[in-house]
Amino acid sequence: MRIWLTFSAALSFILFLHFPPPSHAVSPPITLLRSRKFADEPPKILSNQEIWFNQTLDHFSPYDHRQFRQRYFEFIDYFRIPDGPIFLIICGEGPCSGIVNDYIAVLAKKFGAAMVTLEHRYYGKSSPFKSLSTENLKYLSSKQALNDLATFRQYYQDSLNVKLNKTKVENPWFFFGGSYSGALSAWFRLKYPHLTCGSLASSAVVQAVFDFTEFDQQIGESAGPECKAALQETTQLIEHKLAINGRALKASFGAADLDIDGDFMYFVADAAVIAFQYGNPDRLCKPLVEAKNGGEDLVDAYAKYVKDYYIGTFGTNVQIYDQEFLKRTDINDDSSGRLWWFQVCTEVAYFQVAPSNDSVRSSIVDTKYHLDLCKNVFGHGVFPEVDATNLYYGGSKIAGTKIIFTNGSQDPWRHASKQTSSPEADLPSYLITCHNCGHCTDLRGCPQSPLVIEGNEQNCTSPDAVRKVRQKIVEHMDLWLSQCQDTGRSFF
């Protein structure tokens, strides 16, 4: 995610949107006559047919006319021809291999919407270059990505008009995103209010943060006193063993290749984060608290959780924590790690450092660790321009309109989001509160990973909390989309 965000959390929607890709194909943007019949078991992905679009490389240069191929997907089975809305689902910091059957699909059915999703530049198959050298990454930024979305949106609308034999009329558009792509969704409405009726910004990290101590503090709060104490003791024991025989310790966690102690301790911290961030707190806390109460070895218990769940079930590749691996400039299955770290090291930081006291994570994961990583992986002169990012977008004081912000109570990323409503500007903010309500609960239900079909909320400890926020989302969308249709396009 690191939407966004811890290494696996920072690659927030990689795990949500990663499906085996079909072969390349260049085809028109929409096939209105295509239909689909579902089996009794609804699919996890609604469409994975790749479609390609020629995108501008540098939107800010009047002289550079280079283009690259950008991948997108569409699902039109619910589309109400010819005037139904178009839902653009923004892909974030990872490969985008299709349109997922989450709660957005439920909304698309309700509103008769077409669904399209655009892969973020550089990620997945949408890389402008064959080498991901630092020099070649200079076009990787949120600003360029927003311009990609605006350009694509116009292209898709124009293509649709040709197919429907329409002129000078636009469908109402609505933008969606979660985590980093949630921030992009909010920022798009801020910068291009004439191109979308509104945006849903789920767990949207709109506030760039240099030293993000609130992240670790939320982990302690989400864990609760007993589990937090067990985690803190485990961290201390791991630090002690690391000093005595680090090689053996790392091997016991399946992380023998992480030579830098900071990389290993970041990996150890992330393994705990993921349980709370994605709605599976009991997978971590239950065995750890039982081990502590039973006088068992906490490090062994935690290592078992890491190997069985974080590496096994969740599917984390340990090498994405290895700075030597992050230096690789070839395009590979785990290039997203390098790409997201570049955005972290240049724009948003979100440095998940240990607070000065009462921390869950190790103090080895400090500001110096992050800055050293940025320099080691990308070279000198790379530094996160956090103040400039917040000045450009407004941070949590974003001055846009018609943006819905949603967050889960247990999600550490909510402290980089907008958590208070601004009713006068049509900027509602909703907090979904329950024991396993984490990252993008409104879209994913519980748990947030692995995927629950149509974002079913029944496994949330408070399904009503999710349903109430979803009803508010529908009400806002219904109003804003109807206002767009009254004018023929979106408006300020």
Side-chain angles (χ1 to χ4, degrees), residues 220-263:
E221 183 179 327
S222 297
E226 196 173 21
C227 184
K228 177 183 177 181
L231 283 167
Q232 289 176 321
E233 184 176 345
T234 302
T235 298
Q236 293 170 1
L237 292 169
I238 290 174
E239 288 178 331
H240 179 70
K241 290 191 174 186
L242 186 64
I244 295 173
N245 189 349
R247 186 170 294 278
L249 174 70
K250 292 173 183 177
S252 72
F253 278 79
D257 292 337
L258 299 182
D259 292 332
I260 299 174
D261 289 349
D263 293 349

mmCIF file of all heavy atoms in Angstrom, residues 220-263:
data_model
loop_
_atom_site.group_PDB
_atom_site.id
_atom_site.type_symbol
_atom_site.label_atom_id
_atom_site.label_comp_id
_atom_site.label_asym_id
_atom_site.label_seq_id
_atom_site.Cartn_x
_atom_site.Cartn_y
_atom_site.Cartn_z
ATOM 1 N N GLY A 220 -0.251 0.087 18.858
ATOM 2 C CA GLY A 220 -0.393 -0.232 20.272
ATOM 3 C C GLY A 220 -1.823 -0.115 20.749
ATOM 4 O O GLY A 220 -2.321 -0.952 21.512
ATOM 5 N N GLU A 221 -2.514 0.922 20.282
ATOM 6 C CA GLU A 221 -3.908 1.123 20.669
ATOM 7 C C GLU A 221 -4.801 0.026 20.092
ATOM 8 O O GLU A 221 -5.689 -0.495 20.775
ATOM 9 C CB GLU A 221 -4.379 2.495 20.192
ATOM 10 C CG GLU A 221 -5.793 2.840 20.598
ATOM 11 C CD GLU A 221 -6.219 4.226 20.131
ATOM 12 O OE1 GLU A 221 -5.363 5.123 20.073
ATOM 13 O OE2 GLU A 221 -7.413 4.409 19.810
ATOM 14 N N SER A 222 -4.577 -0.326 18.833
ATOM 15 C CA SER A 222 -5.393 -1.357 18.192
ATOM 16 C C SER A 222 -5.160 -2.726 18.822
ATOM 17 O O SER A 222 -6.069 -3.553 18.885
ATOM 18 C CB SER A 222 -5.086 -1.421 16.693
ATOM 19 O OG SER A 222 -5.422 -0.208 16.050
ATOM 20 N N ALA A 223 -3.939 -2.963 19.287
ATOM 21 C CA ALA A 223 -3.611 -4.256 19.890
ATOM 22 C C ALA A 223 -4.299 -4.452 21.236
ATOM 23 O O ALA A 223 -4.645 -5.583 21.609
ATOM 24 C CB ALA A 223 -2.097 -4.378 20.055
ATOM 25 N N GLY A 224 -4.489 -3.360 21.974
ATOM 26 C CA GLY A 224 -5.035 -3.479 23.318
ATOM 27 C C GLY A 224 -3.908 -3.748 24.309
ATOM 28 O O GLY A 224 -2.812 -4.188 23.937
ATOM 29 N N PRO A 225 -4.134 -3.490 25.594
ATOM 30 C CA PRO A 225 -3.056 -3.544 26.603
ATOM 31 C C PRO A 225 -2.310 -4.869 26.649
ATOM 32 O O PRO A 225 -1.075 -4.888 26.702
ATOM 33 C CB PRO A 225 -3.798 -3.266 27.918
ATOM 34 C CG PRO A 225 -5.033 -2.526 27.518
ATOM 35 C CD PRO A 225 -5.427 -3.066 26.178
ATOM 36 N N GLU A 226 -3.038 -5.981 26.640
ATOM 37 C CA GLU A 226 -2.391 -7.281 26.805
ATOM 38 C C GLU A 226 -1.531 -7.644 25.601
ATOM 39 O O GLU A 226 -0.372 -8.051 25.740
ATOM 40 C CB GLU A 226 -3.453 -8.355 27.057
ATOM 41 C CG GLU A 226 -2.893 -9.642 27.620
ATOM 42 C CD GLU A 226 -3.978 -10.639 28.016
ATOM 43 O OE1 GLU A 226 -5.111 -10.522 27.500
ATOM 44 O OE2 GLU A 226 -3.703 -11.542 28.826
ATOM 45 N N CYS A 227 -2.078 -7.490 24.416
ATOM 46 C CA CYS A 227 -1.322 -7.823 23.202
ATOM 47 C C CYS A 227 -0.192 -6.828 22.985
ATOM 48 O O CYS A 227 0.908 -7.210 22.564
ATOM 49 C CB CYS A 227 -2.259 -7.852 21.999
ATOM 50 S SG CYS A 227 -1.478 -8.366 20.458
ATOM 51 N N LYS A 228 -0.434 -5.566 23.284
ATOM 52 C CA LYS A 228 0.621 -4.553 23.151
ATOM 53 C C LYS A 228 1.806 -4.895 24.036
ATOM 54 O O LYS A 228 2.971 -4.819 23.596
ATOM 55 C CB LYS A 228 0.066 -3.178 23.512
ATOM 56 C CG LYS A 228 1.105 -2.063 23.481
ATOM 57 C CD LYS A 228 0.510 -0.740 23.927
ATOM 58 C CE LYS A 228 1.565 0.365 23.978
ATOM 59 N NZ LYS A 228 0.982 1.655 24.441
ATOM 60 N N ALA A 229 1.548 -5.267 25.280
ATOM 61 C CA ALA A 229 2.632 -5.632 26.199
ATOM 62 C C ALA A 229 3.414 -6.831 25.667
ATOM 63 O O ALA A 229 4.661 -6.875 25.754
ATOM 64 C CB ALA A 229 2.066 -5.929 27.581
ATOM 65 N N ALA A 230 2.705 -7.811 25.106
ATOM 66 C CA ALA A 230 3.378 -8.987 24.540
ATOM 67 C C ALA A 230 4.242 -8.603 23.345
ATOM 68 O O ALA A 230 5.369 -9.095 23.177
ATOM 69 C CB ALA A 230 2.344 -10.035 24.141
ATOM 70 N N LEU A 231 3.727 -7.696 22.502
ATOM 71 C CA LEU A 231 4.495 -7.241 21.340
ATOM 72 C C LEU A 231 5.733 -6.463 21.764
ATOM 73 O O LEU A 231 6.820 -6.644 21.191
ATOM 74 C CB LEU A 231 3.615 -6.370 20.443
ATOM 75 C CG LEU A 231 2.601 -7.092 19.552
ATOM 76 C CD1 LEU A 231 1.596 -6.107 18.959
ATOM 77 C CD2 LEU A 231 3.312 -7.851 18.435
ATOM 78 N N GLN A 232 5.578 -5.601 22.757
ATOM 79 C CA GLN A 232 6.727 -4.821 23.225
ATOM 80 C C GLN A 232 7.805 -5.722 23.816
ATOM 81 O O GLN A 232 8.997 -5.523 23.559
ATOM 82 C CB GLN A 232 6.266 -3.789 24.246
ATOM 83 C CG GLN A 232 5.453 -2.651 23.631
ATOM 84 C CD GLN A 232 4.911 -1.692 24.667
ATOM 85 O OE1 GLN A 232 4.484 -2.089 25.743
ATOM 86 N NE2 GLN A 232 4.907 -0.403 24.336
ATOM 87 N N GLU A 233 7.395 -6.691 24.609
ATOM 88 C CA GLU A 233 8.375 -7.627 25.176
ATOM 89 C C GLU A 233 9.041 -8.441 24.075
ATOM 90 O O GLU A 233 10.252 -8.688 24.114
ATOM 91 C CB GLU A 233 7.687 -8.555 26.184
ATOM 92 C CG GLU A 233 8.669 -9.485 26.894
ATOM 93 C CD GLU A 233 7.992 -10.332 27.961
ATOM 94 O OE1 GLU A 233 6.850 -10.022 28.358
ATOM 95 O OE2 GLU A 233 8.618 -11.328 28.391
ATOM 96 N N THR A 234 8.264 -8.836 23.084
ATOM 97 C CA THR A 234 8.823 -9.591 21.956
ATOM 98 C C THR A 234 9.877 -8.766 21.219
ATOM 99 O O THR A 234 10.956 -9.282 20.874
ATOM 100 C CB THR A 234 7.700 -9.997 20.985
ATOM 101 O OG1 THR A 234 6.727 -10.776 21.676
ATOM 102 C CG2 THR A 234 8.255 -10.796 19.818
ATOM 103 N N THR A 235 9.580 -7.493 20.980
ATOM 104 C CA THR A 235 10.547 -6.621 20.301
ATOM 105 C C THR A 235 11.840 -6.521 21.091
ATOM 106 O O THR A 235 12.944 -6.606 20.523
ATOM 107 C CB THR A 235 9.940 -5.218 20.102
ATOM 108 O OG1 THR A 235 8.781 -5.315 19.277
ATOM 109 C CG2 THR A 235 10.955 -4.286 19.444
ATOM 110 N N GLN A 236 11.740 -6.373 22.396
ATOM 111 C CA GLN A 236 12.938 -6.277 23.240
ATOM 112 C C GLN A 236 13.754 -7.564 23.185
ATOM 113 O O GLN A 236 14.990 -7.524 23.102
ATOM 114 C CB GLN A 236 12.531 -5.961 24.679
ATOM 115 C CG GLN A 236 11.922 -4.572 24.847
ATOM 116 C CD GLN A 236 11.298 -4.372 26.220
ATOM 117 O OE1 GLN A 236 11.337 -5.266 27.068
ATOM 118 N NE2 GLN A 236 10.703 -3.208 26.439
ATOM 119 N N LEU A 237 13.084 -8.701 23.226
ATOM 120 C CA LEU A 237 13.784 -9.990 23.162
ATOM 121 C C LEU A 237 14.455 -10.185 21.802
ATOM 122 O O LEU A 237 15.575 -10.717 21.712
ATOM 123 C CB LEU A 237 12.799 -11.129 23.438
ATOM 124 C CG LEU A 237 12.241 -11.207 24.865
ATOM 125 C CD1 LEU A 237 11.093 -12.207 24.926
ATOM 126 C CD2 LEU A 237 13.355 -11.600 25.843
ATOM 127 N N ILE A 238 13.773 -9.754 20.741
ATOM 128 C CA ILE A 238 14.359 -9.861 19.401
ATOM 129 C C ILE A 238 15.604 -8.990 19.294
ATOM 130 O O ILE A 238 16.635 -9.414 18.745
ATOM 131 C CB ILE A 238 13.313 -9.488 18.328
ATOM 132 C CG1 ILE A 238 12.223 -10.556 18.242
ATOM 133 C CG2 ILE A 238 13.972 -9.290 16.968
ATOM 134 C CD1 ILE A 238 11.076 -10.198 17.323
ATOM 135 N N GLU A 239 15.535 -7.766 19.812
ATOM 136 C CA GLU A 239 16.706 -6.880 19.793
ATOM 137 C C GLU A 239 17.874 -7.517 20.541
ATOM 138 O O GLU A 239 19.029 -7.434 20.098
ATOM 139 C CB GLU A 239 16.352 -5.531 20.419
ATOM 140 C CG GLU A 239 15.449 -4.674 19.563
ATOM 141 C CD GLU A 239 15.071 -3.368 20.244
ATOM 142 O OE1 GLU A 239 15.022 -3.342 21.490
ATOM 143 O OE2 GLU A 239 14.823 -2.384 19.529
ATOM 144 N N HIS A 240 17.592 -8.148 21.677
ATOM 145 C CA HIS A 240 18.645 -8.800 22.472
ATOM 146 C C HIS A 240 19.277 -9.946 21.690
ATOM 147 O O HIS A 240 20.511 -10.065 21.616
ATOM 148 C CB HIS A 240 18.050 -9.303 23.785
ATOM 149 C CG HIS A 240 19.030 -10.008 24.671
ATOM 150 N ND1 HIS A 240 20.065 -9.351 25.318
ATOM 151 C CD2 HIS A 240 19.145 -11.332 25.012
ATOM 152 C CE1 HIS A 240 20.768 -10.212 26.019
ATOM 153 N NE2 HIS A 240 20.236 -11.428 25.856
ATOM 154 N N LYS A 241 18.443 -10.788 21.092
ATOM 155 C CA LYS A 241 18.975 -11.916 20.318
ATOM 156 C C LYS A 241 19.702 -11.447 19.070
ATOM 157 O O LYS A 241 20.664 -12.087 18.630
ATOM 158 C CB LYS A 241 17.841 -12.875 19.941
ATOM 159 C CG LYS A 241 17.276 -13.653 21.117
ATOM 160 C CD LYS A 241 16.349 -14.765 20.648
ATOM 161 C CE LYS A 241 15.906 -15.629 21.815
ATOM 162 N NZ LYS A 241 15.122 -16.818 21.388
ATOM 163 N N LEU A 242 19.253 -10.342 18.505
ATOM 164 C CA LEU A 242 19.899 -9.796 17.315
ATOM 165 C C LEU A 242 21.338 -9.406 17.620
ATOM 166 O O LEU A 242 22.238 -9.584 16.784
ATOM 167 C CB LEU A 242 19.114 -8.591 16.802
ATOM 168 C CG LEU A 242 19.560 -7.963 15.484
ATOM 169 C CD1 LEU A 242 19.384 -8.954 14.332
ATOM 170 C CD2 LEU A 242 18.766 -6.690 15.195
ATOM 171 N N ALA A 243 21.562 -8.875 18.802
ATOM 172 C CA ALA A 243 22.908 -8.456 19.205
ATOM 173 C C ALA A 243 23.816 -9.643 19.499
ATOM 174 O O ALA A 243 25.046 -9.555 19.326
ATOM 175 C CB ALA A 243 22.817 -7.552 20.439
ATOM 176 N N ILE A 244 23.236 -10.751 19.909
ATOM 177 C CA ILE A 244 24.043 -11.922 20.291
ATOM 178 C C ILE A 244 24.347 -12.804 19.085
ATOM 179 O O ILE A 244 25.496 -13.176 18.827
ATOM 180 C CB ILE A 244 23.315 -12.737 21.382
ATOM 181 C CG1 ILE A 244 23.189 -11.910 22.660
ATOM 182 C CG2 ILE A 244 24.042 -14.046 21.660
ATOM 183 C CD1 ILE A 244 22.345 -12.570 23.730
ATOM 184 N N ASN A 245 23.311 -13.150 18.326
ATOM 185 C CA ASN A 245 23.497 -14.037 17.165
ATOM 186 C C ASN A 245 22.447 -13.684 16.114
ATOM 187 O O ASN A 245 21.457 -14.391 15.940
ATOM 188 C CB ASN A 245 23.384 -15.499 17.584
ATOM 189 C CG ASN A 245 23.787 -16.463 16.473
ATOM 190 O OD1 ASN A 245 23.955 -16.051 15.315
ATOM 191 N ND2 ASN A 245 23.941 -17.729 16.802
ATOM 192 N N GLY A 246 22.710 -12.577 15.460
ATOM 193 C CA GLY A 246 21.746 -12.065 14.496
ATOM 194 C C GLY A 246 21.481 -13.008 13.349
ATOM 195 O O GLY A 246 20.344 -13.114 12.872
ATOM 196 N N ARG A 247 22.490 -13.703 12.889
ATOM 197 C CA ARG A 247 22.306 -14.584 11.731
ATOM 198 C C ARG A 247 21.319 -15.704 12.038
ATOM 199 O O ARG A 247 20.426 -15.994 11.239
ATOM 200 C CB ARG A 247 23.659 -15.168 11.310
ATOM 201 C CG ARG A 247 23.604 -15.977 10.019
ATOM 202 C CD ARG A 247 25.003 -16.315 9.532
ATOM 203 N NE ARG A 247 25.715 -15.115 9.147
ATOM 204 C CZ ARG A 247 25.593 -14.508 7.973
ATOM 205 N NH1 ARG A 247 24.740 -14.997 7.073
ATOM 206 N NH2 ARG A 247 26.297 -13.443 7.704
ATOM 207 N N ALA A 248 21.476 -16.323 13.204
ATOM 208 C CA ALA A 248 20.571 -17.412 13.586
ATOM 209 C C ALA A 248 19.155 -16.880 13.800
ATOM 210 O O ALA A 248 18.168 -17.530 13.423
ATOM 211 C CB ALA A 248 21.080 -18.096 14.852
ATOM 212 N N LEU A 249 19.043 -15.712 14.404
ATOM 213 C CA LEU A 249 17.724 -15.119 14.636
ATOM 214 C C LEU A 249 17.005 -14.859 13.315
ATOM 215 O O LEU A 249 15.827 -15.219 13.146
ATOM 216 C CB LEU A 249 17.868 -13.813 15.418
ATOM 217 C CG LEU A 249 16.573 -13.025 15.606
ATOM 218 C CD1 LEU A 249 15.630 -13.745 16.559
ATOM 219 C CD2 LEU A 249 16.867 -11.615 16.117
ATOM 220 N N LYS A 250 17.696 -14.228 12.385
ATOM 221 C CA LYS A 250 17.072 -13.914 11.098
ATOM 222 C C LYS A 250 16.639 -15.187 10.372
ATOM 223 O O LYS A 250 15.562 -15.239 9.756
ATOM 224 C CB LYS A 250 18.036 -13.099 10.245
ATOM 225 C CG LYS A 250 18.304 -11.702 10.783
ATOM 226 C CD LYS A 250 19.406 -10.982 10.006
ATOM 227 C CE LYS A 250 19.710 -9.622 10.609
ATOM 228 N NZ LYS A 250 20.828 -8.924 9.915
ATOM 229 N N ALA A 251 17.459 -16.214 10.447
ATOM 230 C CA ALA A 251 17.121 -17.482 9.794
ATOM 231 C C ALA A 251 15.855 -18.080 10.404
ATOM 232 O O ALA A 251 15.028 -18.668 9.693
ATOM 233 C CB ALA A 251 18.282 -18.458 9.928
ATOM 234 N N SER A 252 15.665 -17.918 11.710
ATOM 235 C CA SER A 252 14.478 -18.471 12.364
ATOM 236 C C SER A 252 13.203 -17.778 11.906
ATOM 237 O O SER A 252 12.113 -18.333 12.054
ATOM 238 C CB SER A 252 14.620 -18.368 13.887
ATOM 239 O OG SER A 252 14.485 -17.024 14.332
ATOM 240 N N PHE A 253 13.337 -16.575 11.347
ATOM 241 C CA PHE A 253 12.200 -15.835 10.811
ATOM 242 C C PHE A 253 12.062 -16.007 9.293
ATOM 243 O O PHE A 253 11.202 -15.372 8.676
ATOM 244 C CB PHE A 253 12.331 -14.344 11.121
ATOM 245 C CG PHE A 253 11.878 -13.947 12.496
ATOM 246 C CD1 PHE A 253 12.689 -14.153 13.598
ATOM 247 C CD2 PHE A 253 10.631 -13.381 12.698
ATOM 248 C CE1 PHE A 253 12.278 -13.796 14.872
ATOM 249 C CE2 PHE A 253 10.197 -13.019 13.959
ATOM 250 C CZ PHE A 253 11.022 -13.230 15.056
ATOM 251 N N GLY A 254 12.911 -16.828 8.689
ATOM 252 C CA GLY A 254 12.886 -16.966 7.242
ATOM 253 C C GLY A 254 13.419 -15.747 6.535
ATOM 254 O O GLY A 254 13.038 -15.453 5.398
ATOM 255 N N ALA A 255 14.303 -14.989 7.217
ATOM 256 C CA ALA A 255 14.801 -13.720 6.679
ATOM 257 C C ALA A 255 16.318 -13.652 6.747
ATOM 258 O O ALA A 255 16.903 -12.591 7.036
ATOM 259 C CB ALA A 255 14.176 -12.554 7.446
ATOM 260 N N ALA A 256 16.965 -14.762 6.468
ATOM 261 C CA ALA A 256 18.421 -14.837 6.598
ATOM 262 C C ALA A 256 19.147 -13.889 5.652
ATOM 263 O O ALA A 256 20.288 -13.495 5.916
ATOM 264 C CB ALA A 256 18.888 -16.273 6.357
ATOM 265 N N ASP A 257 18.507 -13.497 4.556
ATOM 266 C CA ASP A 257 19.175 -12.657 3.554
ATOM 267 C C ASP A 257 19.136 -11.170 3.888
ATOM 268 O O ASP A 257 19.717 -10.361 3.155
ATOM 269 C CB ASP A 257 18.531 -12.879 2.177
ATOM 270 C CG ASP A 257 18.801 -14.272 1.626
ATOM 271 O OD1 ASP A 257 19.789 -14.888 2.050
ATOM 272 O OD2 ASP A 257 18.002 -14.747 0.797
ATOM 273 N N LEU A 258 18.467 -10.794 4.967
ATOM 274 C CA LEU A 258 18.403 -9.380 5.343
ATOM 275 C C LEU A 258 19.630 -9.025 6.186
ATOM 276 O O LEU A 258 19.608 -9.086 7.417
ATOM 277 C CB LEU A 258 17.102 -9.088 6.106
ATOM 278 C CG LEU A 258 15.802 -9.339 5.348
ATOM 279 C CD1 LEU A 258 14.595 -8.966 6.196
ATOM 280 C CD2 LEU A 258 15.778 -8.559 4.038
ATOM 281 N N ASP A 259 20.694 -8.636 5.506
ATOM 282 C CA ASP A 259 21.962 -8.370 6.191
ATOM 283 C C ASP A 259 21.900 -7.134 7.079
ATOM 284 O O ASP A 259 22.535 -7.079 8.135
ATOM 285 C CB ASP A 259 23.094 -8.211 5.163
ATOM 286 C CG ASP A 259 23.407 -9.509 4.440
ATOM 287 O OD1 ASP A 259 23.187 -10.583 5.042
ATOM 288 O OD2 ASP A 259 23.849 -9.446 3.283
ATOM 289 N N ILE A 260 21.163 -6.108 6.652
ATOM 290 C CA ILE A 260 21.080 -4.867 7.420
ATOM 291 C C ILE A 260 20.063 -5.058 8.547
ATOM 292 O O ILE A 260 18.907 -5.425 8.300
ATOM 293 C CB ILE A 260 20.672 -3.687 6.518
ATOM 294 C CG1 ILE A 260 21.724 -3.479 5.423
ATOM 295 C CG2 ILE A 260 20.490 -2.413 7.334
ATOM 296 C CD1 ILE A 260 21.333 -2.428 4.392
ATOM 297 N N ASP A 261 20.497 -4.821 9.780
ATOM 298 C CA ASP A 261 19.617 -5.052 10.925
ATOM 299 C C ASP A 261 18.354 -4.197 10.849
ATOM 300 O O ASP A 261 17.269 -4.642 11.244
ATOM 301 C CB ASP A 261 20.370 -4.756 12.227
ATOM 302 C CG ASP A 261 21.429 -5.812 12.537
ATOM 303 O OD1 ASP A 261 21.438 -6.868 11.866
ATOM 304 O OD2 ASP A 261 22.258 -5.569 13.441
ATOM 305 N N GLY A 262 18.467 -2.987 10.342
ATOM 306 C CA GLY A 262 17.293 -2.123 10.203
ATOM 307 C C GLY A 262 16.264 -2.712 9.259
ATOM 308 O O GLY A 262 15.049 -2.618 9.501
ATOM 309 N N ASP A 263 16.728 -3.327 8.164
ATOM 310 C CA ASP A 263 15.812 -3.983 7.228
ATOM 311 C C ASP A 263 15.058 -5.105 7.929
ATOM 312 O O ASP A 263 13.844 -5.266 7.748
ATOM 313 C CB ASP A 263 16.578 -4.544 6.033
ATOM 314 C CG ASP A 263 17.185 -3.473 5.145
ATOM 315 O OD1 ASP A 263 16.846 -2.282 5.332
ATOM 316 O OD2 ASP A 263 17.988 -3.825 4.264
#
